[in-house]
Amino acid sequence: MTGWTDAKDLAGRRILVVEDEMFVAMMIEDLLRNLGCEVVGPAANVSDALKLVATHPLDGAVLDVNLGRERVFPVADTLKRDVVPFVFVTGYGPSALTQAYDHHPMIRKPFEPESFGDDLAAGLARAGATG
């Protein structure tokens, strides 16, 4: 992922979406498809997300931190182990992240649809560079 600088670099990439709010998931799916991405998911919970990670090759992921009553960190841990870059998307800010991820790339909700692709590409590049 290193070297990805803007939204055009996302075209053709397989991006996992983990988001439990249906309308937000649909918006992210639409934004990613408009950028030429292949969307994997969305998954609304950790179990479904882990199944997708295990069965689909991925180039990156967008992870909502809070999925109902559970947190997304088991998915993040698996992606990190598999060297798949990901970006957290949350309305809670850095305080929502565990210490292991407190400096990980994040896009704050509500995000701007116009800049989402560039923000995602930059975050995935940063995540891929830092492991």
Side-chain angles (χ1 to χ4, degrees):
M1 285 281 193
T2 304
W4 288 16
T5 57
D6 58 39
K8 70 178 173 16
D9 297 322
L10 295 170
R13 304 300 180 162
R14 294 173 306 268
I15 307 295
L16 172 68
V17 176
V18 181
E19 171 62 63
D20 65 325
E21 294 181 36
M22 180 181 64
F23 292 116
V24 176
M26 289 170 45
M27 179 192 305
I28 292 172
E29 280 184 275
D30 287 346
L31 291 169
L32 291 174
R33 284 198 175 100
N34 288 339
L35 294 168
C37 297
E38 178 184 328
V39 176
V40 178
N45 58 59
V46 168
S47 176
D48 289 347
L50 289 173
K51 288 176 189 170
L52 291 172
V53 171
T55 59
H56 291 78
L58 300 170
D59 296 306
V62 176
L63 308 178
D64 182 16
V65 174
N66 290 310
L67 303 171
R69 296 179 190 249
E70 57 186 350
R71 307 272 293 222
V72 77
F73 299 117
V75 179
D77 294 342
T78 300
L79 292 169
K80 186 174 183 179
R81 183 197 71 219
D82 293 348
V83 195
V84 175
F86 58 91
V87 173
F88 292 112
V89 178
T90 182
Y92 295 101
S95 64
L97 303 180
T98 64
Q99 186 175 2
Y101 294 109
D102 64 353
H103 289 90
H104 200 82
M106 174 190 322
I107 297 173
R108 293 282 308 261
K109 290 180 187 176
F111 53 82
E112 293 294 326
E114 298 79 19
S115 64
F116 181 79
D118 289 339
D119 294 341
L120 178 61
L124 291 174
R126 188 171 143 229
T130 60

